[in-house]
Amino acid sequence: VTTLANALATTGPVEVHSGELALGANHRIPDSAPLMVKPGGTFNTATFGETVGKLIMNGGVIKGTGTLTASSIEWWGGIVTAPVSSNGNFVKKGGTDWSRPANLSYSGDTVIESGNLAFQPGGTSLPGTGRVMLANGTGLNLNGASSSISQLDVTGNATLTGGTLAVTQSLAGSGTLTNSGNLNLSGVTTISQTVSLASTGTLTLPTGAWSVK
């Protein structure tokens, strides 16, 4: 175990490739420095708080009881048991399906570039002010949860399952969304003419004035 007793001076990336890197006090890493955790590596917040730039989870483990705060999150894989939060976007990469734990939160957009993103039962909701962007071949499984977002953007063929998703502003993109959950578009004012909806679940269309663009 390598313990960061003193603050790092670097603003470059901090990469944990193997072994364990542990905090020895609060804020040992510069706030703007990206943190990357790779397979075989463990980042341990212990009982301390830490703020970093972009968090890149490319395998490995983040553990501890202290909160790790990142400017944004890029997810390829790994295990997170420590509290992790971000005021930025969450981007899921890599084809492996992943269930988002309740201890990981963010307030920006949800971007699913590959694979499927699922909620764990009792997990936190999607950020209400953010967008959800689904790339071709991806899926979002709410696993019984209810969420409200501002915009849903679909590129290619994507799926929505397992819960209730309310969209308050627009349905955009170009592709087909297959819905087997509960998709509520009652608050939407703009729908892209290049988006198709295939629903075997519940679909609620806009109730007020809306336009096709």
Side-chain angles (χ1 to χ4, degrees), residues 27-82:
H27 305 300
R28 300 293 86 185
I29 299 173
D31 291 357
S32 61
L35 173 63
M36 176 184 286
V37 184
K38 305 195 75 173
T42 296
F43 182 76
N44 186 357
T45 63
T47 60
F48 305 109
E50 184 60 82
T51 299
V52 297
K54 187 176 187 177
L55 171 62
I56 304 170
M57 275 299 291
N58 194 8
V61 175
I62 297 178
K63 67 179 185 178
T65 58
T67 298
L68 175 65
T69 303
S71 62
S72 62
I73 300 172
E74 181 180 301
W75 188 272
W76 293 83
I79 298 172
V80 172
T81 59

mmCIF file of all heavy atoms in Angstrom, residues 27-82:
data_model
loop_
_atom_site.group_PDB
_atom_site.id
_atom_site.type_symbol
_atom_site.label_atom_id
_atom_site.label_comp_id
_atom_site.label_asym_id
_atom_site.label_seq_id
_atom_site.Cartn_x
_atom_site.Cartn_y
_atom_site.Cartn_z
ATOM 1 N N HIS A 27 -7.593 15.774 0.534
ATOM 2 C CA HIS A 27 -7.120 16.561 -0.611
ATOM 3 C C HIS A 27 -5.616 16.426 -0.834
ATOM 4 O O HIS A 27 -4.868 17.400 -0.776
ATOM 5 C CB HIS A 27 -7.524 18.032 -0.423
ATOM 6 C CG HIS A 27 -8.996 18.217 -0.193
ATOM 7 N ND1 HIS A 27 -9.939 17.817 -1.106
ATOM 8 C CD2 HIS A 27 -9.677 18.741 0.862
ATOM 9 C CE1 HIS A 27 -11.153 18.086 -0.634
ATOM 10 N NE2 HIS A 27 -11.015 18.632 0.559
ATOM 11 N N ARG A 28 -5.207 15.236 -1.139
ATOM 12 C CA ARG A 28 -3.804 14.960 -1.438
ATOM 13 C C ARG A 28 -3.506 15.106 -2.933
ATOM 14 O O ARG A 28 -2.341 15.215 -3.321
ATOM 15 C CB ARG A 28 -3.417 13.550 -0.987
ATOM 16 C CG ARG A 28 -3.585 13.262 0.501
ATOM 17 C CD ARG A 28 -2.633 14.070 1.352
ATOM 18 N NE ARG A 28 -3.162 15.394 1.685
ATOM 19 C CZ ARG A 28 -2.484 16.317 2.334
ATOM 20 N NH1 ARG A 28 -1.244 16.086 2.708
ATOM 21 N NH2 ARG A 28 -3.032 17.493 2.600
ATOM 22 N N ILE A 29 -4.545 15.089 -3.773
ATOM 23 C CA ILE A 29 -4.380 15.186 -5.222
ATOM 24 C C ILE A 29 -4.913 16.538 -5.682
ATOM 25 O O ILE A 29 -5.988 16.956 -5.244
ATOM 26 C CB ILE A 29 -5.141 14.039 -5.933
ATOM 27 C CG1 ILE A 29 -4.583 12.680 -5.492
ATOM 28 C CG2 ILE A 29 -5.059 14.171 -7.447
ATOM 29 C CD1 ILE A 29 -5.373 11.497 -6.020
ATOM 30 N N PRO A 30 -4.200 17.250 -6.569
ATOM 31 C CA PRO A 30 -4.703 18.530 -7.074
ATOM 32 C C PRO A 30 -6.084 18.384 -7.704
ATOM 33 O O PRO A 30 -6.368 17.384 -8.387
ATOM 34 C CB PRO A 30 -3.659 18.940 -8.117
ATOM 35 C CG PRO A 30 -2.398 18.258 -7.670
ATOM 36 C CD PRO A 30 -2.848 16.953 -7.089
ATOM 37 N N ASP A 31 -6.938 19.391 -7.485
ATOM 38 C CA ASP A 31 -8.334 19.296 -7.921
ATOM 39 C C ASP A 31 -8.477 19.113 -9.427
ATOM 40 O O ASP A 31 -9.476 18.549 -9.887
ATOM 41 C CB ASP A 31 -9.103 20.547 -7.495
ATOM 42 C CG ASP A 31 -9.287 20.631 -5.987
ATOM 43 O OD1 ASP A 31 -8.862 19.692 -5.287
ATOM 44 O OD2 ASP A 31 -9.861 21.629 -5.519
ATOM 45 N N SER A 32 -7.518 19.593 -10.209
ATOM 46 C CA SER A 32 -7.635 19.521 -11.665
ATOM 47 C C SER A 32 -7.021 18.257 -12.250
ATOM 48 O O SER A 32 -7.158 17.988 -13.451
ATOM 49 C CB SER A 32 -6.973 20.740 -12.311
ATOM 50 O OG SER A 32 -5.583 20.785 -11.991
ATOM 51 N N ALA A 33 -6.338 17.470 -11.440
ATOM 52 C CA ALA A 33 -5.640 16.285 -11.940
ATOM 53 C C ALA A 33 -6.613 15.138 -12.208
ATOM 54 O O ALA A 33 -7.386 14.761 -11.322
ATOM 55 C CB ALA A 33 -4.579 15.837 -10.942
ATOM 56 N N PRO A 34 -6.610 14.548 -13.415
ATOM 57 C CA PRO A 34 -7.448 13.371 -13.671
ATOM 58 C C PRO A 34 -6.958 12.174 -12.847
ATOM 59 O O PRO A 34 -5.768 12.045 -12.556
ATOM 60 C CB PRO A 34 -7.254 13.106 -15.173
ATOM 61 C CG PRO A 34 -6.662 14.369 -15.724
ATOM 62 C CD PRO A 34 -5.876 14.973 -14.612
ATOM 63 N N LEU A 35 -7.891 11.311 -12.488
ATOM 64 C CA LEU A 35 -7.567 10.079 -11.772
ATOM 65 C C LEU A 35 -8.018 8.896 -12.610
ATOM 66 O O LEU A 35 -9.189 8.811 -12.979
ATOM 67 C CB LEU A 35 -8.260 10.040 -10.409
ATOM 68 C CG LEU A 35 -8.140 8.729 -9.617
ATOM 69 C CD1 LEU A 35 -6.690 8.429 -9.258
ATOM 70 C CD2 LEU A 35 -9.003 8.773 -8.354
ATOM 71 N N MET A 36 -7.076 8.001 -12.927
ATOM 72 C CA MET A 36 -7.400 6.790 -13.688
ATOM 73 C C MET A 36 -7.087 5.566 -12.847
ATOM 74 O O MET A 36 -5.981 5.437 -12.316
ATOM 75 C CB MET A 36 -6.611 6.727 -14.999
ATOM 76 C CG MET A 36 -6.847 5.434 -15.784
ATOM 77 S SD MET A 36 -5.845 5.285 -17.282
ATOM 78 C CE MET A 36 -6.672 6.457 -18.334
ATOM 79 N N VAL A 37 -8.060 4.662 -12.722
ATOM 80 C CA VAL A 37 -7.864 3.404 -12.010
ATOM 81 C C VAL A 37 -8.005 2.275 -13.017
ATOM 82 O O VAL A 37 -9.040 2.141 -13.673
ATOM 83 C CB VAL A 37 -8.874 3.241 -10.860
ATOM 84 C CG1 VAL A 37 -8.574 1.976 -10.072
ATOM 85 C CG2 VAL A 37 -8.847 4.455 -9.931
ATOM 86 N N LYS A 38 -6.968 1.454 -13.138
ATOM 87 C CA LYS A 38 -6.917 0.407 -14.154
ATOM 88 C C LYS A 38 -6.987 -0.978 -13.495
ATOM 89 O O LYS A 38 -6.864 -1.097 -12.272
ATOM 90 C CB LYS A 38 -5.649 0.558 -14.993
ATOM 91 C CG LYS A 38 -5.491 1.940 -15.632
ATOM 92 C CD LYS A 38 -4.450 1.960 -16.710
ATOM 93 C CE LYS A 38 -4.960 1.298 -17.981
ATOM 94 N NZ LYS A 38 -4.027 1.459 -19.109
ATOM 95 N N PRO A 39 -7.197 -2.036 -14.296
ATOM 96 C CA PRO A 39 -7.273 -3.387 -13.724
ATOM 97 C C PRO A 39 -6.044 -3.710 -12.872
ATOM 98 O O PRO A 39 -4.911 -3.449 -13.275
ATOM 99 C CB PRO A 39 -7.340 -4.284 -14.967
ATOM 100 C CG PRO A 39 -7.924 -3.416 -16.027
ATOM 101 C CD PRO A 39 -7.414 -2.039 -15.761
ATOM 102 N N GLY A 40 -6.286 -4.246 -11.671
ATOM 103 C CA GLY A 40 -5.207 -4.560 -10.753
ATOM 104 C C GLY A 40 -4.881 -3.433 -9.798
ATOM 105 O O GLY A 40 -4.119 -3.625 -8.849
ATOM 106 N N GLY A 41 -5.463 -2.264 -10.026
ATOM 107 C CA GLY A 41 -5.204 -1.119 -9.163
ATOM 108 C C GLY A 41 -6.364 -0.834 -8.229
ATOM 109 O O GLY A 41 -7.522 -1.076 -8.556
ATOM 110 N N THR A 42 -6.049 -0.295 -7.052
ATOM 111 C CA THR A 42 -7.063 0.082 -6.063
ATOM 112 C C THR A 42 -6.761 1.488 -5.561
ATOM 113 O O THR A 42 -5.625 1.787 -5.177
ATOM 114 C CB THR A 42 -7.068 -0.888 -4.868
ATOM 115 O OG1 THR A 42 -7.439 -2.198 -5.324
ATOM 116 C CG2 THR A 42 -8.063 -0.437 -3.807
ATOM 117 N N PHE A 43 -7.790 2.342 -5.575
ATOM 118 C CA PHE A 43 -7.674 3.667 -4.959
ATOM 119 C C PHE A 43 -8.529 3.662 -3.710
ATOM 120 O O PHE A 43 -9.729 3.410 -3.766
ATOM 121 C CB PHE A 43 -8.135 4.766 -5.918
ATOM 122 C CG PHE A 43 -7.979 6.152 -5.351
ATOM 123 C CD1 PHE A 43 -6.741 6.748 -5.284
ATOM 124 C CD2 PHE A 43 -9.086 6.842 -4.866
ATOM 125 C CE1 PHE A 43 -6.584 8.023 -4.751
ATOM 126 C CE2 PHE A 43 -8.949 8.117 -4.331
ATOM 127 C CZ PHE A 43 -7.695 8.711 -4.277
ATOM 128 N N ASN A 44 -7.900 3.952 -2.561
ATOM 129 C CA ASN A 44 -8.565 3.876 -1.264
ATOM 130 C C ASN A 44 -8.683 5.282 -0.678
ATOM 131 O O ASN A 44 -7.677 5.911 -0.341
ATOM 132 C CB ASN A 44 -7.771 2.962 -0.329
ATOM 133 C CG ASN A 44 -8.474 2.727 0.998
ATOM 134 O OD1 ASN A 44 -9.539 3.280 1.265
ATOM 135 N ND2 ASN A 44 -7.887 1.894 1.842
ATOM 136 N N THR A 45 -9.916 5.775 -0.566
ATOM 137 C CA THR A 45 -10.105 7.093 0.045
ATOM 138 C C THR A 45 -9.923 7.034 1.559
ATOM 139 O O THR A 45 -9.817 8.086 2.207
ATOM 140 C CB THR A 45 -11.510 7.644 -0.254
ATOM 141 O OG1 THR A 45 -12.501 6.785 0.341
ATOM 142 C CG2 THR A 45 -11.754 7.759 -1.749
ATOM 143 N N ALA A 46 -9.902 5.835 2.114
ATOM 144 C CA ALA A 46 -9.841 5.642 3.580
ATOM 145 C C ALA A 46 -11.003 6.401 4.219
ATOM 146 O O ALA A 46 -12.149 6.156 3.865
ATOM 147 C CB ALA A 46 -8.487 6.074 4.119
ATOM 148 N N THR A 47 -10.725 7.347 5.084
ATOM 149 C CA THR A 47 -11.795 8.139 5.721
ATOM 150 C C THR A 47 -11.747 9.596 5.262
ATOM 151 O O THR A 47 -12.365 10.466 5.887
ATOM 152 C CB THR A 47 -11.667 8.089 7.253
ATOM 153 O OG1 THR A 47 -10.391 8.622 7.637
ATOM 154 C CG2 THR A 47 -11.797 6.668 7.759
ATOM 155 N N PHE A 48 -11.030 9.856 4.165
ATOM 156 C CA PHE A 48 -10.758 11.233 3.755
ATOM 157 C C PHE A 48 -11.527 11.630 2.485
ATOM 158 O O PHE A 48 -11.937 10.783 1.696
ATOM 159 C CB PHE A 48 -9.253 11.417 3.530
ATOM 160 C CG PHE A 48 -8.427 11.019 4.716
ATOM 161 C CD1 PHE A 48 -7.654 9.876 4.684
ATOM 162 C CD2 PHE A 48 -8.442 11.785 5.869
ATOM 163 C CE1 PHE A 48 -6.884 9.503 5.775
ATOM 164 C CE2 PHE A 48 -7.682 11.431 6.978
ATOM 165 C CZ PHE A 48 -6.900 10.286 6.937
ATOM 166 N N GLY A 49 -11.692 12.927 2.301
ATOM 167 C CA GLY A 49 -12.327 13.451 1.110
ATOM 168 C C GLY A 49 -11.283 13.853 0.082
ATOM 169 O O GLY A 49 -10.191 14.317 0.422
ATOM 170 N N GLU A 50 -11.624 13.669 -1.191
ATOM 171 C CA GLU A 50 -10.699 14.017 -2.267
ATOM 172 C C GLU A 50 -11.467 14.572 -3.466
ATOM 173 O O GLU A 50 -12.550 14.079 -3.797
ATOM 174 C CB GLU A 50 -9.895 12.786 -2.706
ATOM 175 C CG GLU A 50 -8.838 13.066 -3.748
ATOM 176 C CD GLU A 50 -7.809 14.071 -3.257
ATOM 177 O OE1 GLU A 50 -6.873 13.671 -2.534
ATOM 178 O OE2 GLU A 50 -7.960 15.267 -3.590
ATOM 179 N N THR A 51 -10.908 15.603 -4.099
ATOM 180 C CA THR A 51 -11.474 16.178 -5.319
ATOM 181 C C THR A 51 -10.448 16.041 -6.436
ATOM 182 O O THR A 51 -9.280 16.403 -6.254
ATOM 183 C CB THR A 51 -11.823 17.665 -5.117
ATOM 184 O OG1 THR A 51 -12.805 17.789 -4.087
ATOM 185 C CG2 THR A 51 -12.386 18.263 -6.396
ATOM 186 N N VAL A 52 -10.901 15.508 -7.579
ATOM 187 C CA VAL A 52 -10.008 15.326 -8.720
ATOM 188 C C VAL A 52 -10.670 15.897 -9.972
ATOM 189 O O VAL A 52 -11.825 16.334 -9.934
ATOM 190 C CB VAL A 52 -9.674 13.829 -8.934
ATOM 191 C CG1 VAL A 52 -8.931 13.262 -7.737
ATOM 192 C CG2 VAL A 52 -10.934 13.012 -9.230
ATOM 193 N N GLY A 53 -9.918 15.897 -11.074
ATOM 194 C CA GLY A 53 -10.500 16.267 -12.356
ATOM 195 C C GLY A 53 -11.368 15.133 -12.857
ATOM 196 O O GLY A 53 -12.211 14.612 -12.135
ATOM 197 N N LYS A 54 -11.145 14.708 -14.056
ATOM 198 C CA LYS A 54 -11.924 13.615 -14.626
ATOM 199 C C LYS A 54 -11.567 12.286 -13.964
ATOM 200 O O LYS A 54 -10.389 11.985 -13.768
ATOM 201 C CB LYS A 54 -11.651 13.529 -16.128
ATOM 202 C CG LYS A 54 -12.506 12.542 -16.887
ATOM 203 C CD LYS A 54 -12.183 12.640 -18.369
ATOM 204 C CE LYS A 54 -13.118 11.791 -19.209
ATOM 205 N NZ LYS A 54 -12.828 11.948 -20.651
ATOM 206 N N LEU A 55 -12.579 11.511 -13.591
ATOM 207 C CA LEU A 55 -12.361 10.160 -13.081
ATOM 208 C C LEU A 55 -12.549 9.181 -14.224
ATOM 209 O O LEU A 55 -13.615 9.144 -14.846
ATOM 210 C CB LEU A 55 -13.338 9.837 -11.956
ATOM 211 C CG LEU A 55 -13.367 8.375 -11.483
ATOM 212 C CD1 LEU A 55 -12.014 7.952 -10.921
ATOM 213 C CD2 LEU A 55 -14.479 8.148 -10.467
ATOM 214 N N ILE A 56 -11.508 8.401 -14.499
ATOM 215 C CA ILE A 56 -11.557 7.389 -15.553
ATOM 216 C C ILE A 56 -11.443 6.031 -14.887
ATOM 217 O O ILE A 56 -10.377 5.649 -14.391
ATOM 218 C CB ILE A 56 -10.428 7.582 -16.580
ATOM 219 C CG1 ILE A 56 -10.481 8.998 -17.162
ATOM 220 C CG2 ILE A 56 -10.531 6.546 -17.693
ATOM 221 C CD1 ILE A 56 -9.276 9.360 -18.011
ATOM 222 N N MET A 57 -12.564 5.306 -14.851
ATOM 223 C CA MET A 57 -12.569 3.963 -14.271
ATOM 224 C C MET A 57 -12.412 2.952 -15.405
ATOM 225 O O MET A 57 -13.335 2.685 -16.152
ATOM 226 C CB MET A 57 -13.863 3.708 -13.511
ATOM 227 C CG MET A 57 -13.838 4.208 -12.078
ATOM 228 S SD MET A 57 -12.571 3.420 -11.053
ATOM 229 C CE MET A 57 -13.185 1.746 -10.919
ATOM 230 N N ASN A 58 -11.210 2.407 -15.508
ATOM 231 C CA ASN A 58 -10.910 1.446 -16.571
ATOM 232 C C ASN A 58 -10.535 0.108 -15.945
ATOM 233 O O ASN A 58 -9.526 -0.498 -16.269
ATOM 234 C CB ASN A 58 -9.778 1.982 -17.447
ATOM 235 C CG ASN A 58 -9.641 1.217 -18.746
ATOM 236 O OD1 ASN A 58 -10.475 0.387 -19.079
ATOM 237 N ND2 ASN A 58 -8.585 1.489 -19.484
ATOM 238 N N GLY A 59 -11.398 -0.330 -15.007
ATOM 239 C CA GLY A 59 -11.113 -1.520 -14.226
ATOM 240 C C GLY A 59 -10.653 -1.094 -12.842
ATOM 241 O O GLY A 59 -10.607 0.087 -12.502
ATOM 242 N N GLY A 60 -10.292 -2.055 -12.020
ATOM 243 C CA GLY A 60 -9.797 -1.720 -10.698
ATOM 244 C C GLY A 60 -10.908 -1.438 -9.707
ATOM 245 O O GLY A 60 -12.092 -1.687 -9.953
ATOM 246 N N VAL A 61 -10.512 -0.873 -8.550
ATOM 247 C CA VAL A 61 -11.419 -0.712 -7.425
ATOM 248 C C VAL A 61 -11.229 0.674 -6.803
ATOM 249 O O VAL A 61 -10.100 1.161 -6.695
ATOM 250 C CB VAL A 61 -11.142 -1.789 -6.342
ATOM 251 C CG1 VAL A 61 -12.007 -1.564 -5.108
ATOM 252 C CG2 VAL A 61 -11.362 -3.187 -6.908
ATOM 253 N N ILE A 62 -12.340 1.299 -6.416
ATOM 254 C CA ILE A 62 -12.294 2.474 -5.552
ATOM 255 C C ILE A 62 -13.042 2.107 -4.274
ATOM 256 O O ILE A 62 -14.213 1.732 -4.325
ATOM 257 C CB ILE A 62 -12.940 3.700 -6.207
ATOM 258 C CG1 ILE A 62 -12.171 4.101 -7.464
ATOM 259 C CG2 ILE A 62 -12.973 4.877 -5.229
ATOM 260 C CD1 ILE A 62 -12.768 5.281 -8.197
ATOM 261 N N LYS A 63 -12.361 2.217 -3.137
ATOM 262 C CA LYS A 63 -12.969 1.816 -1.876
ATOM 263 C C LYS A 63 -12.687 2.868 -0.808
ATOM 264 O O LYS A 63 -11.951 3.832 -1.032
ATOM 265 C CB LYS A 63 -12.449 0.450 -1.437
ATOM 266 C CG LYS A 63 -10.972 0.431 -1.051
ATOM 267 C CD LYS A 63 -10.550 -0.972 -0.601
ATOM 268 C CE LYS A 63 -9.108 -0.974 -0.095
ATOM 269 N NZ LYS A 63 -8.691 -2.319 0.391
ATOM 270 N N GLY A 64 -13.266 2.667 0.382
ATOM 271 C CA GLY A 64 -13.100 3.591 1.489
ATOM 272 C C GLY A 64 -14.428 4.221 1.868
ATOM 273 O O GLY A 64 -15.450 4.013 1.217
ATOM 274 N N THR A 65 -14.416 5.017 2.931
ATOM 275 C CA THR A 65 -15.627 5.701 3.378
ATOM 276 C C THR A 65 -15.594 7.190 3.072
ATOM 277 O O THR A 65 -16.607 7.874 3.178
ATOM 278 C CB THR A 65 -15.844 5.509 4.887
ATOM 279 O OG1 THR A 65 -14.696 6.012 5.594
ATOM 280 C CG2 THR A 65 -16.019 4.027 5.220
ATOM 281 N N GLY A 66 -14.430 7.715 2.698
ATOM 282 C CA GLY A 66 -14.324 9.109 2.298
ATOM 283 C C GLY A 66 -14.896 9.319 0.907
ATOM 284 O O GLY A 66 -14.876 8.413 0.065
ATOM 285 N N THR A 67 -15.404 10.530 0.634
ATOM 286 C CA THR A 67 -16.054 10.821 -0.649
ATOM 287 C C THR A 67 -15.048 11.304 -1.684
ATOM 288 O O THR A 67 -14.242 12.203 -1.420
ATOM 289 C CB THR A 67 -17.138 11.892 -0.475
ATOM 290 O OG1 THR A 67 -18.142 11.393 0.417
ATOM 291 C CG2 THR A 67 -17.794 12.238 -1.794
ATOM 292 N N LEU A 68 -15.108 10.707 -2.866
ATOM 293 C CA LEU A 68 -14.311 11.135 -4.010
ATOM 294 C C LEU A 68 -15.205 11.968 -4.928
ATOM 295 O O LEU A 68 -16.240 11.492 -5.388
ATOM 296 C CB LEU A 68 -13.758 9.924 -4.771
ATOM 297 C CG LEU A 68 -12.993 10.230 -6.060
ATOM 298 C CD1 LEU A 68 -11.716 11.003 -5.754
ATOM 299 C CD2 LEU A 68 -12.671 8.932 -6.811
ATOM 300 N N THR A 69 -14.800 13.218 -5.183
ATOM 301 C CA THR A 69 -15.564 14.114 -6.043
ATOM 302 C C THR A 69 -14.773 14.371 -7.318
ATOM 303 O O THR A 69 -13.598 14.753 -7.260
ATOM 304 C CB THR A 69 -15.846 15.455 -5.334
ATOM 305 O OG1 THR A 69 -16.539 15.198 -4.110
ATOM 306 C CG2 THR A 69 -16.699 16.355 -6.206
ATOM 307 N N ALA A 70 -15.416 14.154 -8.475
ATOM 308 C CA ALA A 70 -14.743 14.308 -9.772
ATOM 309 C C ALA A 70 -15.493 15.312 -10.635
ATOM 310 O O ALA A 70 -16.705 15.498 -10.485
ATOM 311 C CB ALA A 70 -14.659 12.963 -10.483
ATOM 312 N N SER A 71 -14.768 15.961 -11.557
ATOM 313 C CA SER A 71 -15.417 16.914 -12.451
ATOM 314 C C SER A 71 -16.340 16.207 -13.433
ATOM 315 O O SER A 71 -17.365 16.748 -13.846
ATOM 316 C CB SER A 71 -14.373 17.738 -13.199
ATOM 317 O OG SER A 71 -13.557 16.903 -14.014
ATOM 318 N N SER A 72 -15.998 14.980 -13.825
ATOM 319 C CA SER A 72 -16.830 14.140 -14.687
ATOM 320 C C SER A 72 -16.374 12.699 -14.511
ATOM 321 O O SER A 72 -15.317 12.436 -13.915
ATOM 322 C CB SER A 72 -16.729 14.559 -16.157
ATOM 323 O OG SER A 72 -15.398 14.400 -16.634
ATOM 324 N N ILE A 73 -17.172 11.766 -15.029
ATOM 325 C CA ILE A 73 -16.864 10.343 -14.863
ATOM 326 C C ILE A 73 -16.902 9.642 -16.207
ATOM 327 O O ILE A 73 -17.886 9.749 -16.953
ATOM 328 C CB ILE A 73 -17.867 9.662 -13.905
ATOM 329 C CG1 ILE A 73 -17.829 10.331 -12.520
ATOM 330 C CG2 ILE A 73 -17.555 8.170 -13.772
ATOM 331 C CD1 ILE A 73 -18.928 9.852 -11.586
ATOM 332 N N GLU A 74 -15.825 8.938 -16.524
ATOM 333 C CA GLU A 74 -15.778 8.078 -17.716
ATOM 334 C C GLU A 74 -15.641 6.638 -17.232
ATOM 335 O O GLU A 74 -14.679 6.286 -16.553
ATOM 336 C CB GLU A 74 -14.593 8.464 -18.600
ATOM 337 C CG GLU A 74 -14.473 7.643 -19.871
ATOM 338 C CD GLU A 74 -13.295 8.063 -20.711
ATOM 339 O OE1 GLU A 74 -13.256 9.257 -21.114
ATOM 340 O OE2 GLU A 74 -12.409 7.222 -20.967
ATOM 341 N N TRP A 75 -16.620 5.806 -17.607
ATOM 342 C CA TRP A 75 -16.698 4.461 -17.030
ATOM 343 C C TRP A 75 -16.477 3.389 -18.096
ATOM 344 O O TRP A 75 -17.228 3.267 -19.039
ATOM 345 C CB TRP A 75 -18.067 4.249 -16.389
ATOM 346 C CG TRP A 75 -18.132 2.969 -15.621
ATOM 347 C CD1 TRP A 75 -18.477 1.737 -16.100
ATOM 348 C CD2 TRP A 75 -17.791 2.780 -14.255
ATOM 349 N NE1 TRP A 75 -18.360 0.792 -15.121
ATOM 350 C CE2 TRP A 75 -17.940 1.411 -13.969
ATOM 351 C CE3 TRP A 75 -17.369 3.648 -13.239
ATOM 352 C CZ2 TRP A 75 -17.692 0.888 -12.710
ATOM 353 C CZ3 TRP A 75 -17.124 3.118 -11.992
ATOM 354 C CH2 TRP A 75 -17.295 1.746 -11.738
ATOM 355 N N TRP A 76 -15.422 2.591 -17.899
ATOM 356 C CA TRP A 76 -15.158 1.428 -18.738
ATOM 357 C C TRP A 76 -15.419 0.127 -17.982
ATOM 358 O O TRP A 76 -15.704 -0.898 -18.578
ATOM 359 C CB TRP A 76 -13.703 1.453 -19.216
ATOM 360 C CG TRP A 76 -13.383 2.557 -20.162
ATOM 361 C CD1 TRP A 76 -13.066 3.856 -19.837
ATOM 362 C CD2 TRP A 76 -13.352 2.492 -21.584
ATOM 363 N NE1 TRP A 76 -12.845 4.596 -20.970
ATOM 364 C CE2 TRP A 76 -13.003 3.776 -22.057
ATOM 365 C CE3 TRP A 76 -13.583 1.472 -22.502
ATOM 366 C CZ2 TRP A 76 -12.881 4.072 -23.412
ATOM 367 C CZ3 TRP A 76 -13.450 1.756 -23.860
ATOM 368 C CH2 TRP A 76 -13.114 3.034 -24.302
ATOM 369 N N GLY A 77 -15.265 0.166 -16.676
ATOM 370 C CA GLY A 77 -15.475 -1.019 -15.847
ATOM 371 C C GLY A 77 -14.799 -0.845 -14.506
ATOM 372 O O GLY A 77 -14.026 0.092 -14.295
ATOM 373 N N GLY A 78 -15.093 -1.759 -13.597
ATOM 374 C CA GLY A 78 -14.482 -1.697 -12.282
ATOM 375 C C GLY A 78 -15.516 -1.810 -11.176
ATOM 376 O O GLY A 78 -16.702 -2.046 -11.416
ATOM 377 N N ILE A 79 -15.051 -1.618 -9.943
ATOM 378 C CA ILE A 79 -15.900 -1.737 -8.758
ATOM 379 C C ILE A 79 -15.732 -0.481 -7.908
ATOM 380 O O ILE A 79 -14.603 -0.066 -7.620
ATOM 381 C CB ILE A 79 -15.523 -2.988 -7.936
ATOM 382 C CG1 ILE A 79 -15.739 -4.261 -8.764
ATOM 383 C CG2 ILE A 79 -16.331 -3.057 -6.648
ATOM 384 C CD1 ILE A 79 -15.207 -5.517 -8.102
ATOM 385 N N VAL A 80 -16.841 0.108 -7.513
ATOM 386 C CA VAL A 80 -16.813 1.302 -6.666
ATOM 387 C C VAL A 80 -17.649 1.029 -5.421
ATOM 388 O O VAL A 80 -18.858 0.813 -5.527
ATOM 389 C CB VAL A 80 -17.359 2.541 -7.395
ATOM 390 C CG1 VAL A 80 -17.486 3.709 -6.430
ATOM 391 C CG2 VAL A 80 -16.459 2.916 -8.552
ATOM 392 N N THR A 81 -17.014 1.031 -4.258
ATOM 393 C CA THR A 81 -17.745 0.892 -2.996
ATOM 394 C C THR A 81 -17.661 2.172 -2.161
ATOM 395 O O THR A 81 -18.407 2.325 -1.202
ATOM 396 C CB THR A 81 -17.202 -0.293 -2.175
ATOM 397 O OG1 THR A 81 -15.812 -0.090 -1.907
ATOM 398 C CG2 THR A 81 -17.386 -1.603 -2.924
ATOM 399 N N ALA A 82 -16.765 3.076 -2.515
ATOM 400 C CA ALA A 82 -16.673 4.369 -1.825
ATOM 401 C C ALA A 82 -17.722 5.324 -2.388
ATOM 402 O O ALA A 82 -18.176 5.161 -3.529
ATOM 403 C CB ALA A 82 -15.278 4.968 -2.015
#
